[in-house]
Amino acid sequence: MSEGCSHGDAIHEVTPSAKGCEECLKTGDWWVHLRLCRTCGHVGCCDDSPNKHATAHYHATAHPIIEGYDPPEGWGWCYVDETFVELPDQTPQVGPIKRWV
């Protein structure tokens, strides 16, 4: 955990909810990178993506910690404390995950 984050109790082993951004797959939209909610397993697109579904998920649920999921990036982020966090493990991908070119 990062010294600046006190939300370690929100980090769980999760099963990814989809093989890509859950909402973008439903609407046919595209994404740049994926983020995984470490509270519930929701897979959403990053803030460089047009729809920013991972951040929208945080605003809807207040789940604080995401993992850089695709490609596996080995880091976590706490939305509440706006800091990177160390994760106790990395979530295996449920693949193959669709790639946008």
Side-chain angles (χ1 to χ4, degrees):
M1 262 334 278
S2 167
E3 290 181 22
C5 175
S6 61
H7 299 93
D9 58 340
I11 299 173
H12 304 287
E13 287 187 28
V14 295
T15 300
S17 63
K19 294 181 181 180
C21 175
E22 196 171 324
E23 291 83 3
C24 287
L25 287 170
K26 291 175 185 172
T27 61
D29 287 329
W30 58 275
W31 58 83
V32 178
H33 297 290
L34 298 174
R35 306 295 180 238
L36 175 72
C37 175
R38 286 300 299 264
T39 299
C40 71
H42 174 269
V43 178
C45 54
C46 71
D47 284 355
D48 289 332
S49 303
N51 297 303
K52 304 176 184 182
H53 287 122
T55 297
H57 175 76
Y58 161 68
H59 289 299
T61 65
H63 294 167
I65 308 289
I66 57 166
E67 176 179 342
Y69 182 60
D70 181 59
E73 298 177 37
W75 56 265
W77 175 259
C78 178
Y79 282 109
V80 177
D81 296 313
E82 297 183 342
T83 189
F84 286 99
V85 297
E86 292 180 33
L87 297 172
D89 55 13
Q90 195 166 347
T91 306
Q93 287 189 335
V94 176
I97 292 178
K98 185 175 185 175
R99 302 280 183 221
W100 297 101
V101 180

